[in-house]
Amino acid sequence: MGERLAVVSGGGTGIGKAIARGLADDGHRVVIIGRRAEVLERAREEIDGAVGAARTVAVPADLTDPGQVARAAEAIGALGTVDVLVNNAGAIITPPADGSLEALAEAWRRDLDVNLLSAVLLTTALTDHLRRPGGRLIVISSAAAQRGGAGSHSAGSYAAAKAGLHGWAFGLTRALGPDGITVNVLAPGYVTDTPIFGDRMTQEFHAGKIADTLVGRAGTPDDVAAAVRYIASPAAGYLTGQVIGLNGGAVLGR
Protein backbone atom coordinates (compact mmCIF):
# COMPACT_ATOMS: atom_id res chain seq x y z
CA MET A 1 0.00 0.00 0.00
CA GLY A 2 2.96 2.31 0.54
CA GLU A 3 3.17 5.21 3.00
CA ARG A 4 -0.16 6.02 4.64
CA LEU A 5 -1.41 9.62 4.68
CA ALA A 6 -3.12 11.16 7.71
CA VAL A 7 -4.70 14.60 8.10
CA VAL A 8 -5.09 16.25 11.51
CA SER A 9 -6.96 19.53 11.89
CA GLY A 10 -5.92 21.73 14.79
CA GLY A 11 -2.59 19.96 14.55
CA GLY A 12 -0.34 22.80 15.67
CA THR A 13 -0.86 22.63 19.43
CA GLY A 14 -2.00 20.47 22.33
CA ILE A 15 -4.05 17.39 21.54
CA GLY A 16 -3.78 17.82 17.77
CA LYS A 17 -0.01 18.02 17.84
CA ALA A 18 0.20 14.91 20.03
CA ILE A 19 -2.10 13.04 17.63
CA ALA A 20 0.00 14.11 14.66
CA ARG A 21 3.20 13.02 16.38
CA GLY A 22 1.69 9.65 17.29
CA LEU A 23 0.53 8.99 13.74
CA ALA A 24 3.95 10.04 12.41
CA ASP A 25 5.54 7.60 14.89
CA ASP A 26 3.35 4.90 13.33
CA GLY A 27 4.81 5.69 9.91
CA HIS A 28 2.15 7.98 8.47
CA ARG A 29 2.89 11.04 6.44
CA VAL A 30 0.89 13.63 8.37
CA VAL A 31 -0.74 16.86 7.19
CA ILE A 32 -1.40 19.30 10.03
CA ILE A 33 -3.92 22.09 9.49
CA GLY A 34 -4.41 25.26 11.53
CA ARG A 35 -5.02 29.00 11.21
CA ARG A 36 -1.55 30.19 12.29
CA ALA A 37 1.22 29.38 9.84
CA GLU A 38 4.03 30.10 12.30
CA VAL A 39 2.54 27.77 14.93
CA LEU A 40 2.14 25.01 12.35
CA GLU A 41 5.72 25.41 11.19
CA ARG A 42 7.05 25.07 14.73
CA ALA A 43 4.90 21.98 15.23
CA ARG A 44 6.13 20.50 11.96
CA GLU A 45 9.75 20.95 13.00
CA GLU A 46 9.05 19.50 16.46
CA ILE A 47 7.23 16.43 15.15
CA ASP A 48 9.81 15.67 12.47
CA GLY A 49 12.58 16.09 15.03
CA ALA A 50 10.86 13.74 17.46
CA VAL A 51 10.33 10.95 14.91
CA GLY A 52 13.66 11.50 13.15
CA ALA A 53 12.15 11.83 9.68
CA ALA A 54 10.50 14.46 7.47
CA ARG A 55 6.94 13.17 7.68
CA THR A 56 4.92 16.31 8.43
CA VAL A 57 3.34 18.79 6.02
CA ALA A 58 1.88 22.07 7.31
CA VAL A 59 -1.19 23.46 5.51
CA PRO A 60 -2.41 26.76 6.99
CA ALA A 61 -6.17 27.31 6.67
CA ASP A 62 -9.13 28.75 8.54
CA LEU A 63 -11.51 25.81 8.40
CA THR A 64 -14.57 28.01 8.92
CA ASP A 65 -13.88 29.63 5.52
CA PRO A 66 -15.16 27.47 2.63
CA GLY A 67 -12.66 28.96 0.16
CA GLN A 68 -9.69 28.20 2.40
CA VAL A 69 -11.01 24.68 3.04
CA ALA A 70 -11.28 24.05 -0.70
CA ARG A 71 -7.69 25.20 -1.26
CA ALA A 72 -6.44 23.05 1.63
CA ALA A 73 -8.27 20.02 0.26
CA GLU A 74 -6.73 20.58 -3.17
CA ALA A 75 -3.24 20.69 -1.64
CA ILE A 76 -3.93 17.54 0.39
CA GLY A 77 -5.41 15.71 -2.60
CA ALA A 78 -2.19 16.31 -4.50
CA LEU A 79 -0.35 14.28 -1.83
CA GLY A 80 -2.40 11.14 -2.46
CA THR A 81 -5.23 9.13 -0.92
CA VAL A 82 -6.14 10.03 2.66
CA ASP A 83 -6.05 7.00 4.95
CA VAL A 84 -6.89 8.82 8.20
CA LEU A 85 -8.77 12.08 8.76
CA VAL A 86 -8.86 13.41 12.33
CA ASN A 87 -11.22 16.34 12.86
CA ASN A 88 -9.68 17.84 15.98
CA ALA A 89 -9.95 21.61 15.40
CA GLY A 90 -12.07 23.44 17.94
CA ALA A 91 -12.04 25.92 20.80
CA ILE A 92 -13.99 27.21 23.76
CA ILE A 93 -14.89 30.73 22.68
CA THR A 94 -15.00 33.84 24.87
CA PRO A 95 -18.46 34.37 26.39
CA PRO A 96 -20.83 36.93 24.85
CA ALA A 97 -19.60 40.51 25.02
CA ASP A 98 -22.71 41.61 26.89
CA GLY A 99 -26.14 40.41 27.94
CA SER A 100 -27.88 41.17 24.66
CA LEU A 101 -29.43 38.58 22.40
CA GLU A 102 -27.28 39.93 19.56
CA ALA A 103 -24.09 39.18 21.50
CA LEU A 104 -25.39 35.75 22.48
CA ALA A 105 -26.22 34.91 18.86
CA GLU A 106 -22.76 36.00 17.73
CA ALA A 107 -21.05 33.85 20.37
CA TRP A 108 -23.14 30.79 19.52
CA ARG A 109 -22.59 31.15 15.78
CA ARG A 110 -18.85 31.40 16.35
CA ASP A 111 -18.84 28.28 18.54
CA LEU A 112 -20.87 26.35 15.98
CA ASP A 113 -18.58 27.49 13.16
CA VAL A 114 -15.34 26.60 14.96
CA ASN A 115 -16.41 23.33 16.56
CA LEU A 116 -18.97 21.88 14.14
CA LEU A 117 -18.94 23.56 10.74
CA SER A 118 -15.13 23.32 10.46
CA ALA A 119 -15.33 19.51 10.66
CA VAL A 120 -18.25 19.35 8.23
CA LEU A 121 -16.47 21.50 5.63
CA LEU A 122 -13.11 19.70 5.82
CA THR A 123 -14.65 16.23 5.76
CA THR A 124 -16.93 17.07 2.84
CA ALA A 125 -14.00 18.53 0.89
CA LEU A 126 -11.90 15.40 1.50
CA THR A 127 -14.55 12.68 1.25
CA ASP A 128 -13.65 11.74 -2.31
CA HIS A 129 -9.99 11.46 -1.29
CA LEU A 130 -10.59 8.94 1.53
CA ARG A 131 -9.25 5.44 1.00
CA ARG A 132 -11.85 2.89 -0.06
CA PRO A 133 -11.85 0.46 1.63
CA GLY A 134 -9.87 1.07 4.81
CA GLY A 135 -10.28 4.79 5.45
CA ARG A 136 -10.56 6.04 9.02
CA LEU A 137 -12.59 9.14 9.91
CA ILE A 138 -12.16 10.22 13.54
CA VAL A 139 -14.04 13.11 15.13
CA ILE A 140 -12.74 14.63 18.38
CA SER A 141 -15.70 15.70 20.51
CA SER A 142 -15.81 16.36 24.26
CA ALA A 143 -17.29 14.97 27.45
CA ALA A 144 -19.21 18.27 27.53
CA ALA A 145 -21.32 16.90 24.67
CA GLN A 146 -22.38 13.99 26.87
CA ARG A 147 -23.15 15.83 30.11
CA GLY A 148 -23.76 19.41 28.99
CA GLY A 149 -21.85 22.64 29.36
CA ALA A 150 -21.55 24.70 32.52
CA GLY A 151 -20.67 28.23 33.51
CA SER A 152 -20.87 30.98 30.93
CA HIS A 153 -23.29 31.13 27.99
CA SER A 154 -20.50 30.06 25.68
CA ALA A 155 -19.96 26.81 27.57
CA GLY A 156 -23.47 25.82 26.52
CA SER A 157 -22.77 26.56 22.87
CA TYR A 158 -19.51 24.59 23.00
CA ALA A 159 -21.32 21.54 24.39
CA ALA A 160 -24.10 21.90 21.84
CA ALA A 161 -21.63 22.20 18.96
CA LYS A 162 -19.73 19.12 20.11
CA ALA A 163 -22.97 17.18 20.55
CA GLY A 164 -23.90 18.15 17.00
CA LEU A 165 -20.80 16.30 15.82
CA HIS A 166 -22.25 13.05 17.16
CA GLY A 167 -25.43 13.02 15.07
CA TRP A 168 -23.49 14.15 12.00
CA ALA A 169 -20.91 11.39 12.51
CA PHE A 170 -23.62 8.74 12.84
CA GLY A 171 -24.98 9.79 9.46
CA LEU A 172 -21.50 9.56 7.94
CA THR A 173 -21.10 6.09 9.43
CA ARG A 174 -24.12 4.87 7.49
CA ALA A 175 -23.11 6.67 4.30
CA LEU A 176 -19.46 5.60 4.25
CA GLY A 177 -19.67 2.14 5.82
CA PRO A 178 -20.49 0.39 2.50
CA ASP A 179 -17.23 1.85 1.14
CA GLY A 180 -15.25 0.27 3.97
CA ILE A 181 -14.65 3.57 5.78
CA THR A 182 -15.09 3.63 9.56
CA VAL A 183 -16.35 6.69 11.43
CA ASN A 184 -15.92 7.11 15.18
CA VAL A 185 -16.19 9.90 17.74
CA LEU A 186 -13.65 10.23 20.56
CA ALA A 187 -14.92 12.35 23.46
CA PRO A 188 -12.10 13.34 25.84
CA GLY A 189 -12.73 14.70 29.31
CA TYR A 190 -10.40 17.07 31.13
CA VAL A 191 -7.01 17.15 29.39
CA THR A 192 -4.11 19.30 30.58
CA ASP A 193 -1.26 20.79 28.52
CA THR A 194 -3.58 22.34 25.97
CA PRO A 195 -4.30 26.03 25.30
CA ILE A 196 -8.08 25.59 25.28
CA PHE A 197 -8.79 26.70 28.85
CA GLY A 198 -6.71 29.90 28.74
CA ASP A 199 -7.05 32.07 31.86
CA ARG A 200 -9.67 29.70 33.30
CA MET A 201 -6.84 27.39 34.31
CA THR A 202 -6.55 28.03 38.06
CA GLN A 203 -5.57 25.64 40.83
CA GLU A 204 -9.19 25.43 41.92
CA PHE A 205 -10.38 24.70 38.38
CA HIS A 206 -7.72 21.99 37.97
CA ALA A 207 -8.54 20.36 41.31
CA GLY A 208 -12.26 20.37 40.58
CA LYS A 209 -11.78 18.68 37.21
CA ILE A 210 -9.59 15.95 38.72
CA ALA A 211 -12.12 15.42 41.51
CA ASP A 212 -14.70 14.60 38.81
CA THR A 213 -12.68 11.58 37.67
CA LEU A 214 -12.57 8.11 39.19
CA VAL A 215 -8.85 7.62 38.55
CA GLY A 216 -7.65 10.75 40.34
CA ARG A 217 -5.77 12.38 37.51
CA ALA A 218 -6.16 14.58 34.49
CA GLY A 219 -5.84 13.26 30.97
CA THR A 220 -2.92 14.18 28.75
CA PRO A 221 -2.65 14.84 25.00
CA ASP A 222 -0.74 11.55 24.76
CA ASP A 223 -3.73 9.69 26.25
CA VAL A 224 -5.88 11.02 23.42
CA ALA A 225 -3.19 10.31 20.83
CA ALA A 226 -2.92 6.69 21.99
CA ALA A 227 -6.66 6.16 21.50
CA VAL A 228 -6.56 7.78 18.06
CA ARG A 229 -3.63 5.58 17.04
CA TYR A 230 -5.70 2.48 17.71
CA ILE A 231 -8.85 3.78 16.02
CA ALA A 232 -6.74 4.78 13.00
CA SER A 233 -5.03 1.41 12.74
CA PRO A 234 -5.92 -1.48 10.43
CA ALA A 235 -6.74 -3.48 13.60
CA ALA A 236 -9.81 -1.27 14.23
CA GLY A 237 -11.67 -2.20 11.07
CA TYR A 238 -14.71 -3.54 12.97
CA LEU A 239 -15.05 -0.44 15.16
CA THR A 240 -17.43 2.11 13.68
CA GLY A 241 -20.34 4.35 14.63
CA GLN A 242 -19.24 4.71 18.24
CA VAL A 243 -18.84 7.58 20.71
CA ILE A 244 -15.85 6.57 22.81
CA GLY A 245 -15.47 8.31 26.16
CA LEU A 246 -11.92 9.02 27.34
CA ASN A 247 -12.47 10.83 30.61
CA GLY A 248 -11.10 8.92 33.60
CA GLY A 249 -14.61 7.89 34.59
CA ALA A 250 -15.98 11.44 34.86
CA VAL A 251 -18.77 10.41 32.48
CA LEU A 252 -19.79 6.78 32.55
CA GLY A 253 -20.60 4.90 29.33
CA ARG A 254 -24.12 4.59 28.02
Side-chain angles (χ1 to χ4, degrees), residues 47-254:
I47 294 167
D48 285 351
V51 302
R55 291 201 178 125
T56 315
V57 178
V59 176
D62 180 345
L63 296 179
T64 67
D65 181 331
Q68 293 190 43
V69 174
R71 289 190 290 274
E74 184 177 2
I76 293 166
L79 298 175
T81 300
V82 176
D83 295 276
V84 181
L85 171 56
V86 183
N87 282 297
N88 168 73
I92 297 177
I93 307 301
T94 303
D98 56 46
S100 69
L101 290 177
E102 289 77 11
L104 181 62
E106 181 180 356
W108 270 69
R109 289 190 183 108
R110 180 61 180 165
D111 269 2
L112 291 168
D113 282 352
V114 171
N115 292 291
L116 175 57
L117 184 63
S118 61
V120 173
L121 291 177
L122 181 62
T123 301
T124 301
L126 290 178
T127 295
D128 289 344
H129 297 289
L130 292 174
R131 183 170 299 283
R132 291 165 167 79
R136 300 282 184 265
L137 176 54
I138 303 168
V139 179
I140 306 299
S141 175
S142 169
Q146 298 169 303
R147 66 179 185 181
S152 67
H153 289 119
S154 194
S157 57
Y158 174 80
K162 289 297 190 181
L165 290 170
H166 297 191
W168 168 68
F170 293 155
L172 287 177
T173 304
R174 295 182 184 279
L176 298 177
D179 290 336
I181 297 171
T182 66
V183 183
N184 289 286
V185 177
L186 184 63
Y190 175 54
V191 175
T192 56
D193 299 324
T194 76
I196 195 168
F197 295 109
D199 58 10
R200 283 177 285 258
M201 181 55 73
T202 64
Q203 288 185 347
E204 292 78 14
F205 179 89
H206 179 71
K209 290 294 187 181
I210 290 177
D212 280 345
T213 73
L214 301 180
V215 297
R217 73 168 178 90
T220 68
D222 284 341
D223 288 326
V224 183
V228 170
R229 290 169 80 170
Y230 169 68
I231 299 169
S233 73
Y238 198 55
L239 177 67
T240 196
Q242 304 303 308
V243 176
I244 302 164
L246 185 70
N247 54 56
V251 180
L252 300 181
R254 293 175 174 84

